[in-house]
Amino acid sequence: MSLVSIESAMAAPGPGDWDFSDYPYGLEPLTLPNPGVAVSIAPGSVYGSAGDVRRLIAQGRSGFPATKPASADDLERLFWFRWIIGHHISFVIWRLLADALSQAPEDEEGRKALAGTVATYVRAYCGMLLYTGSCTPSIYNATIRPSMYRLHSTFSGTWALDYPAVRSLFRGRKAPAVLGAQTGEVMREVGMSNQIHLGVSSKLVERGRSLLQQSIDAPDTHQPRRWGTVFDCYFLTVRAPVPPEQVLTQLMRRLKATAIDLATNGLYPEAGGDLGRLPEELTRPAVVECGRELTGILFDVAERAAALPGEGR
């Protein structure tokens, strides 16, 4: 399978540029290895492209140029893009989290650094919940939610192949022992993710809960493999042996597209006139701050995931 080159993924957009897929808010499949295979980059392994990565991160933090804002007629495509690409980024974040939590630092300094990385990834997942949940209720209930049931009448977030490795973290019932005395920061972010789940569910789902929220509370029961394949098919995810560098490349490409979208349309596009009043969970100061700083949070993930030499990670 041909995957995009790291040079293309790291190229910064020019004024008005959109270089993800063939047109603005188009989609590309995500290729991931099977669960259990590490996707984290070994420090120094992208050394040849480190300069490009650093430049992209720096330009992303300072702000990519905007493209043409989405009109009312573009909203369905925009929110479909956010639904799929936001989940793609979430899948990779879950894998990065699982890799991080598998570490066992021997000293408190190492546990502190690890806690910072884990907190960064959890906060980014909070941002992706806001991003995928930014849809208007009318488009969600007319387009997105029915699309899941057209694929399978009992489509469920419990089928996500990459989520079980981090389910216990997001349940928040027991802090990971590897974080030592630094658990408070991480568990605050976990608590916010659950608040956002509730808020997005209240905003979008009529008399129900979000699929991924259901997966948090679901028991650790065995799921037939075919259900995970159905889930992957829906979210345009392919399973194949790919090296960590290609996972990073695909992640960076999606972070860049998301940052351009946010620079252009904001988290809640002005054209989305039927957004209505946000639930209380989505108006809490910490959640509002997460949404406001989402672009910076994305590039915090990029910096951690790239494991660049000399970054002190």
Side-chain angles (χ1 to χ4, degrees), residues 178-208:
V178 296
L179 303 181
Q182 311 299 323
T183 60
E185 177 186 7
V186 172
M187 301 317 292
R188 281 192 295 272
E189 301 294 345
V190 168
M192 183 166 66
S193 75
N194 292 327
Q195 291 175 11
I196 294 173
H197 263 131
L198 290 171
V200 170
S201 173
S202 177
K203 169 178 174 268
L204 296 179
V205 182
E206 299 173 351
R207 298 182 300 278

PDB file of all heavy atoms in Angstrom, residues 178-208:
ATOM      1  N   VAL A 178       2.440   3.465  37.181  1.00  0.00           N
ATOM      2  CA  VAL A 178       3.697   3.951  36.610  1.00  0.00           C
ATOM      3  C   VAL A 178       3.847   5.457  36.716  1.00  0.00           C
ATOM      4  O   VAL A 178       4.936   5.987  36.524  1.00  0.00           O
ATOM      5  CB  VAL A 178       3.826   3.532  35.122  1.00  0.00           C
ATOM      6  CG1 VAL A 178       3.899   2.032  34.992  1.00  0.00           C
ATOM      7  CG2 VAL A 178       2.692   4.104  34.291  1.00  0.00           C
ATOM      8  N   LEU A 179       2.772   6.184  37.043  1.00  0.00           N
ATOM      9  CA  LEU A 179       2.849   7.635  37.108  1.00  0.00           C
ATOM     10  C   LEU A 179       3.307   8.143  38.469  1.00  0.00           C
ATOM     11  O   LEU A 179       3.570   9.328  38.641  1.00  0.00           O
ATOM     12  CB  LEU A 179       1.489   8.257  36.768  1.00  0.00           C
ATOM     13  CG  LEU A 179       0.923   7.868  35.402  1.00  0.00           C
ATOM     14  CD1 LEU A 179      -0.405   8.567  35.164  1.00  0.00           C
ATOM     15  CD2 LEU A 179       1.905   8.194  34.279  1.00  0.00           C
ATOM     16  N   GLY A 180       3.380   7.256  39.452  1.00  0.00           N
ATOM     17  CA  GLY A 180       3.879   7.640  40.758  1.00  0.00           C
ATOM     18  C   GLY A 180       3.084   8.772  41.372  1.00  0.00           C
ATOM     19  O   GLY A 180       1.848   8.787  41.348  1.00  0.00           O
ATOM     20  N   ALA A 181       3.796   9.758  41.897  1.00  0.00           N
ATOM     21  CA  ALA A 181       3.143  10.867  42.605  1.00  0.00           C
ATOM     22  C   ALA A 181       2.546  11.904  41.663  1.00  0.00           C
ATOM     23  O   ALA A 181       1.945  12.881  42.110  1.00  0.00           O
ATOM     24  CB  ALA A 181       4.166  11.546  43.525  1.00  0.00           C
ATOM     25  N   GLN A 182       2.680  11.694  40.354  1.00  0.00           N
ATOM     26  CA  GLN A 182       2.229  12.684  39.386  1.00  0.00           C
ATOM     27  C   GLN A 182       0.854  12.354  38.791  1.00  0.00           C
ATOM     28  O   GLN A 182       0.516  12.804  37.698  1.00  0.00           O
ATOM     29  CB  GLN A 182       3.257  12.782  38.245  1.00  0.00           C
ATOM     30  CG  GLN A 182       4.692  12.939  38.684  1.00  0.00           C
ATOM     31  CD  GLN A 182       4.913  14.202  39.486  1.00  0.00           C
ATOM     32  OE1 GLN A 182       4.324  15.235  39.196  1.00  0.00           O
ATOM     33  NE2 GLN A 182       5.767  14.116  40.508  1.00  0.00           N
ATOM     34  N   THR A 183       0.074  11.583  39.506  1.00  0.00           N
ATOM     35  CA  THR A 183      -1.183  11.107  38.927  1.00  0.00           C
ATOM     36  C   THR A 183      -2.258  12.181  38.857  1.00  0.00           C
ATOM     37  O   THR A 183      -3.167  12.108  38.033  1.00  0.00           O
ATOM     38  CB  THR A 183      -1.734   9.915  39.729  1.00  0.00           C
ATOM     39  OG1 THR A 183      -1.960  10.333  41.083  1.00  0.00           O
ATOM     40  CG2 THR A 183      -0.755   8.758  39.710  1.00  0.00           C
ATOM     41  N   GLY A 184      -2.177  13.186  39.734  1.00  0.00           N
ATOM     42  CA  GLY A 184      -3.253  14.170  39.814  1.00  0.00           C
ATOM     43  C   GLY A 184      -3.512  14.874  38.510  1.00  0.00           C
ATOM     44  O   GLY A 184      -4.669  15.023  38.079  1.00  0.00           O
ATOM     45  N   GLU A 185      -2.443  15.321  37.837  1.00  0.00           N
ATOM     46  CA  GLU A 185      -2.577  16.031  36.562  1.00  0.00           C
ATOM     47  C   GLU A 185      -3.271  15.153  35.535  1.00  0.00           C
ATOM     48  O   GLU A 185      -4.165  15.602  34.813  1.00  0.00           O
ATOM     49  CB  GLU A 185      -1.192  16.447  36.063  1.00  0.00           C
ATOM     50  CG  GLU A 185      -1.193  17.137  34.716  1.00  0.00           C
ATOM     51  CD  GLU A 185       0.203  17.399  34.182  1.00  0.00           C
ATOM     52  OE1 GLU A 185       1.177  16.925  34.810  1.00  0.00           O
ATOM     53  OE2 GLU A 185       0.319  18.061  33.142  1.00  0.00           O
ATOM     54  N   VAL A 186      -2.865  13.900  35.460  1.00  0.00           N
ATOM     55  CA  VAL A 186      -3.449  12.988  34.475  1.00  0.00           C
ATOM     56  C   VAL A 186      -4.923  12.737  34.780  1.00  0.00           C
ATOM     57  O   VAL A 186      -5.774  12.796  33.882  1.00  0.00           O
ATOM     58  CB  VAL A 186      -2.679  11.655  34.454  1.00  0.00           C
ATOM     59  CG1 VAL A 186      -3.402  10.626  33.576  1.00  0.00           C
ATOM     60  CG2 VAL A 186      -1.256  11.876  33.947  1.00  0.00           C
ATOM     61  N   MET A 187      -5.248  12.479  36.027  1.00  0.00           N
ATOM     62  CA  MET A 187      -6.623  12.142  36.357  1.00  0.00           C
ATOM     63  C   MET A 187      -7.555  13.336  36.204  1.00  0.00           C
ATOM     64  O   MET A 187      -8.751  13.170  35.942  1.00  0.00           O
ATOM     65  CB  MET A 187      -6.707  11.547  37.761  1.00  0.00           C
ATOM     66  CG  MET A 187      -5.870  10.271  37.944  1.00  0.00           C
ATOM     67  SD  MET A 187      -5.984   9.072  36.568  1.00  0.00           S
ATOM     68  CE  MET A 187      -7.682   8.528  36.733  1.00  0.00           C
ATOM     69  N   ARG A 188      -7.045  14.546  36.350  1.00  0.00           N
ATOM     70  CA  ARG A 188      -7.872  15.724  36.052  1.00  0.00           C
ATOM     71  C   ARG A 188      -8.257  15.752  34.582  1.00  0.00           C
ATOM     72  O   ARG A 188      -9.403  16.078  34.230  1.00  0.00           O
ATOM     73  CB  ARG A 188      -7.128  17.008  36.439  1.00  0.00           C
ATOM     74  CG  ARG A 188      -7.162  17.315  37.929  1.00  0.00           C
ATOM     75  CD  ARG A 188      -6.672  18.733  38.207  1.00  0.00           C
ATOM     76  NE  ARG A 188      -5.264  18.901  37.848  1.00  0.00           N
ATOM     77  CZ  ARG A 188      -4.254  18.657  38.667  1.00  0.00           C
ATOM     78  NH1 ARG A 188      -4.477  18.194  39.883  1.00  0.00           N
ATOM     79  NH2 ARG A 188      -3.001  18.862  38.265  1.00  0.00           N
ATOM     80  N   GLU A 189      -7.298  15.421  33.721  1.00  0.00           N
ATOM     81  CA  GLU A 189      -7.598  15.385  32.286  1.00  0.00           C
ATOM     82  C   GLU A 189      -8.578  14.254  31.967  1.00  0.00           C
ATOM     83  O   GLU A 189      -9.477  14.412  31.135  1.00  0.00           O
ATOM     84  CB  GLU A 189      -6.307  15.215  31.481  1.00  0.00           C
ATOM     85  CG  GLU A 189      -5.268  16.305  31.682  1.00  0.00           C
ATOM     86  CD  GLU A 189      -5.706  17.670  31.175  1.00  0.00           C
ATOM     87  OE1 GLU A 189      -6.689  17.741  30.407  1.00  0.00           O
ATOM     88  OE2 GLU A 189      -5.071  18.673  31.558  1.00  0.00           O
ATOM     89  N   VAL A 190      -8.403  13.114  32.623  1.00  0.00           N
ATOM     90  CA  VAL A 190      -9.339  12.003  32.421  1.00  0.00           C
ATOM     91  C   VAL A 190     -10.741  12.425  32.844  1.00  0.00           C
ATOM     92  O   VAL A 190     -11.736  12.151  32.160  1.00  0.00           O
ATOM     93  CB  VAL A 190      -8.886  10.756  33.212  1.00  0.00           C
ATOM     94  CG1 VAL A 190      -9.989   9.699  33.241  1.00  0.00           C
ATOM     95  CG2 VAL A 190      -7.616  10.175  32.587  1.00  0.00           C
ATOM     96  N   GLY A 191     -10.838  13.109  33.985  1.00  0.00           N
ATOM     97  CA  GLY A 191     -12.137  13.586  34.432  1.00  0.00           C
ATOM     98  C   GLY A 191     -12.766  14.537  33.439  1.00  0.00           C
ATOM     99  O   GLY A 191     -13.986  14.488  33.196  1.00  0.00           O
ATOM    100  N   MET A 192     -11.953  15.397  32.826  1.00  0.00           N
ATOM    101  CA  MET A 192     -12.490  16.319  31.827  1.00  0.00           C
ATOM    102  C   MET A 192     -12.987  15.571  30.598  1.00  0.00           C
ATOM    103  O   MET A 192     -14.008  15.929  30.000  1.00  0.00           O
ATOM    104  CB  MET A 192     -11.445  17.362  31.428  1.00  0.00           C
ATOM    105  CG  MET A 192     -11.987  18.390  30.436  1.00  0.00           C
ATOM    106  SD  MET A 192     -10.945  19.852  30.241  1.00  0.00           S
ATOM    107  CE  MET A 192      -9.478  19.156  29.501  1.00  0.00           C
ATOM    108  N   SER A 193     -12.276  14.505  30.213  1.00  0.00           N
ATOM    109  CA  SER A 193     -12.725  13.742  29.043  1.00  0.00           C
ATOM    110  C   SER A 193     -14.109  13.157  29.287  1.00  0.00           C
ATOM    111  O   SER A 193     -14.961  13.138  28.382  1.00  0.00           O
ATOM    112  CB  SER A 193     -11.726  12.637  28.690  1.00  0.00           C
ATOM    113  OG  SER A 193     -11.802  11.543  29.591  1.00  0.00           O
ATOM    114  N   ASN A 194     -14.363  12.692  30.492  1.00  0.00           N
ATOM    115  CA  ASN A 194     -15.675  12.142  30.807  1.00  0.00           C
ATOM    116  C   ASN A 194     -16.743  13.229  30.855  1.00  0.00           C
ATOM    117  O   ASN A 194     -17.888  13.009  30.431  1.00  0.00           O
ATOM    118  CB  ASN A 194     -15.618  11.375  32.129  1.00  0.00           C
ATOM    119  CG  ASN A 194     -14.774  10.113  32.032  1.00  0.00           C
ATOM    120  OD1 ASN A 194     -14.722   9.476  30.989  1.00  0.00           O
ATOM    121  ND2 ASN A 194     -14.101   9.755  33.108  1.00  0.00           N
ATOM    122  N   GLN A 195     -16.393  14.420  31.345  1.00  0.00           N
ATOM    123  CA  GLN A 195     -17.327  15.542  31.306  1.00  0.00           C
ATOM    124  C   GLN A 195     -17.690  15.900  29.866  1.00  0.00           C
ATOM    125  O   GLN A 195     -18.858  16.159  29.549  1.00  0.00           O
ATOM    126  CB  GLN A 195     -16.707  16.760  31.994  1.00  0.00           C
ATOM    127  CG  GLN A 195     -16.546  16.639  33.499  1.00  0.00           C
ATOM    128  CD  GLN A 195     -15.810  17.825  34.082  1.00  0.00           C
ATOM    129  OE1 GLN A 195     -15.593  18.835  33.402  1.00  0.00           O
ATOM    130  NE2 GLN A 195     -15.413  17.718  35.342  1.00  0.00           N
ATOM    131  N   ILE A 196     -16.677  15.929  29.004  1.00  0.00           N
ATOM    132  CA  ILE A 196     -16.934  16.283  27.608  1.00  0.00           C
ATOM    133  C   ILE A 196     -17.801  15.230  26.939  1.00  0.00           C
ATOM    134  O   ILE A 196     -18.707  15.550  26.156  1.00  0.00           O
ATOM    135  CB  ILE A 196     -15.606  16.484  26.853  1.00  0.00           C
ATOM    136  CG1 ILE A 196     -14.858  17.699  27.416  1.00  0.00           C
ATOM    137  CG2 ILE A 196     -15.854  16.671  25.356  1.00  0.00           C
ATOM    138  CD1 ILE A 196     -13.465  17.874  26.860  1.00  0.00           C
ATOM    139  N   HIS A 197     -17.548  13.945  27.249  1.00  0.00           N
ATOM    140  CA  HIS A 197     -18.413  12.884  26.730  1.00  0.00           C
ATOM    141  C   HIS A 197     -19.868  13.177  27.070  1.00  0.00           C
ATOM    142  O   HIS A 197     -20.761  13.084  26.217  1.00  0.00           O
ATOM    143  CB  HIS A 197     -18.016  11.540  27.356  1.00  0.00           C
ATOM    144  CG  HIS A 197     -17.106  10.712  26.501  1.00  0.00           C
ATOM    145  ND1 HIS A 197     -15.952  10.154  27.000  1.00  0.00           N
ATOM    146  CD2 HIS A 197     -17.186  10.327  25.214  1.00  0.00           C
ATOM    147  CE1 HIS A 197     -15.355   9.468  26.038  1.00  0.00           C
ATOM    148  NE2 HIS A 197     -16.087   9.555  24.950  1.00  0.00           N
ATOM    149  N   LEU A 198     -20.126  13.500  28.327  1.00  0.00           N
ATOM    150  CA  LEU A 198     -21.490  13.777  28.755  1.00  0.00           C
ATOM    151  C   LEU A 198     -22.059  14.988  28.030  1.00  0.00           C
ATOM    152  O   LEU A 198     -23.215  14.995  27.597  1.00  0.00           O
ATOM    153  CB  LEU A 198     -21.522  14.002  30.264  1.00  0.00           C
ATOM    154  CG  LEU A 198     -21.264  12.776  31.145  1.00  0.00           C
ATOM    155  CD1 LEU A 198     -21.117  13.201  32.608  1.00  0.00           C
ATOM    156  CD2 LEU A 198     -22.398  11.765  31.002  1.00  0.00           C
ATOM    157  N   GLY A 199     -21.238  16.039  27.914  1.00  0.00           N
ATOM    158  CA  GLY A 199     -21.708  17.252  27.254  1.00  0.00           C
ATOM    159  C   GLY A 199     -22.010  17.052  25.787  1.00  0.00           C
ATOM    160  O   GLY A 199     -23.039  17.515  25.276  1.00  0.00           O
ATOM    161  N   VAL A 200     -21.118  16.364  25.076  1.00  0.00           N
ATOM    162  CA  VAL A 200     -21.344  16.105  23.655  1.00  0.00           C
ATOM    163  C   VAL A 200     -22.570  15.221  23.468  1.00  0.00           C
ATOM    164  O   VAL A 200     -23.390  15.429  22.562  1.00  0.00           O
ATOM    165  CB  VAL A 200     -20.089  15.473  23.017  1.00  0.00           C
ATOM    166  CG1 VAL A 200     -20.392  14.967  21.605  1.00  0.00           C
ATOM    167  CG2 VAL A 200     -18.945  16.483  22.981  1.00  0.00           C
ATOM    168  N   SER A 201     -22.714  14.224  24.329  1.00  0.00           N
ATOM    169  CA  SER A 201     -23.874  13.351  24.255  1.00  0.00           C
ATOM    170  C   SER A 201     -25.164  14.147  24.452  1.00  0.00           C
ATOM    171  O   SER A 201     -26.135  13.995  23.709  1.00  0.00           O
ATOM    172  CB  SER A 201     -23.766  12.254  25.311  1.00  0.00           C
ATOM    173  OG  SER A 201     -24.951  11.493  25.364  1.00  0.00           O
ATOM    174  N   SER A 202     -25.157  15.011  25.460  1.00  0.00           N
ATOM    175  CA  SER A 202     -26.340  15.823  25.733  1.00  0.00           C
ATOM    176  C   SER A 202     -26.657  16.748  24.567  1.00  0.00           C
ATOM    177  O   SER A 202     -27.823  16.992  24.237  1.00  0.00           O
ATOM    178  CB  SER A 202     -26.120  16.633  27.009  1.00  0.00           C
ATOM    179  OG  SER A 202     -27.202  17.473  27.285  1.00  0.00           O
ATOM    180  N   LYS A 203     -25.619  17.241  23.919  1.00  0.00           N
ATOM    181  CA  LYS A 203     -25.788  18.174  22.793  1.00  0.00           C
ATOM    182  C   LYS A 203     -26.324  17.482  21.545  1.00  0.00           C
ATOM    183  O   LYS A 203     -27.180  18.026  20.837  1.00  0.00           O
ATOM    184  CB  LYS A 203     -24.441  18.832  22.499  1.00  0.00           C
ATOM    185  CG  LYS A 203     -24.348  19.625  21.198  1.00  0.00           C
ATOM    186  CD  LYS A 203     -22.973  20.257  21.093  1.00  0.00           C
ATOM    187  CE  LYS A 203     -22.781  20.931  19.747  1.00  0.00           C
ATOM    188  NZ  LYS A 203     -22.174  20.034  18.756  1.00  0.00           N
ATOM    189  N   LEU A 204     -25.841  16.266  21.284  1.00  0.00           N
ATOM    190  CA  LEU A 204     -26.105  15.642  19.988  1.00  0.00           C
ATOM    191  C   LEU A 204     -27.106  14.494  20.007  1.00  0.00           C
ATOM    192  O   LEU A 204     -27.849  14.318  19.051  1.00  0.00           O
ATOM    193  CB  LEU A 204     -24.788  15.112  19.382  1.00  0.00           C
ATOM    194  CG  LEU A 204     -23.714  16.137  19.039  1.00  0.00           C
ATOM    195  CD1 LEU A 204     -22.494  15.429  18.483  1.00  0.00           C
ATOM    196  CD2 LEU A 204     -24.239  17.174  18.049  1.00  0.00           C
ATOM    197  N   VAL A 205     -27.056  13.670  21.057  1.00  0.00           N
ATOM    198  CA  VAL A 205     -27.774  12.395  21.023  1.00  0.00           C
ATOM    199  C   VAL A 205     -29.141  12.535  21.680  1.00  0.00           C
ATOM    200  O   VAL A 205     -29.232  12.909  22.850  1.00  0.00           O
ATOM    201  CB  VAL A 205     -26.960  11.280  21.713  1.00  0.00           C
ATOM    202  CG1 VAL A 205     -27.690   9.946  21.621  1.00  0.00           C
ATOM    203  CG2 VAL A 205     -25.575  11.178  21.090  1.00  0.00           C
ATOM    204  N   GLU A 206     -30.164  12.219  20.950  1.00  0.00           N
ATOM    205  CA  GLU A 206     -31.519  12.296  21.476  1.00  0.00           C
ATOM    206  C   GLU A 206     -31.803  11.062  22.347  1.00  0.00           C
ATOM    207  O   GLU A 206     -31.808   9.940  21.871  1.00  0.00           O
ATOM    208  CB  GLU A 206     -32.523  12.355  20.324  1.00  0.00           C
ATOM    209  CG  GLU A 206     -32.339  13.584  19.431  1.00  0.00           C
ATOM    210  CD  GLU A 206     -33.236  13.543  18.201  1.00  0.00           C
ATOM    211  OE1 GLU A 206     -33.866  12.479  17.968  1.00  0.00           O
ATOM    212  OE2 GLU A 206     -33.307  14.550  17.495  1.00  0.00           O
ATOM    213  N   ARG A 207     -32.003  11.305  23.648  1.00  0.00           N
ATOM    214  CA  ARG A 207     -32.356  10.233  24.588  1.00  0.00           C
ATOM    215  C   ARG A 207     -31.344   9.083  24.553  1.00  0.00           C
ATOM    216  O   ARG A 207     -31.690   7.914  24.568  1.00  0.00           O
ATOM    217  CB  ARG A 207     -33.760   9.692  24.302  1.00  0.00           C
ATOM    218  CG  ARG A 207     -34.838  10.734  24.475  1.00  0.00           C
ATOM    219  CD  ARG A 207     -36.204  10.136  24.224  1.00  0.00           C
ATOM    220  NE  ARG A 207     -36.318   9.597  22.884  1.00  0.00           N
ATOM    221  CZ  ARG A 207     -36.584  10.344  21.807  1.00  0.00           C
ATOM    222  NH1 ARG A 207     -36.770  11.640  21.930  1.00  0.00           N
ATOM    223  NH2 ARG A 207     -36.697   9.793  20.618  1.00  0.00           N
ATOM    224  N   GLY A 208     -30.086   9.417  24.486  1.00  0.00           N
ATOM    225  CA  GLY A 208     -29.080   8.356  24.461  1.00  0.00           C
ATOM    226  C   GLY A 208     -27.717   8.881  24.838  1.00  0.00           C
ATOM    227  O   GLY A 208     -27.562  10.024  25.246  1.00  0.00           O
TER     228      GLY A 208
END
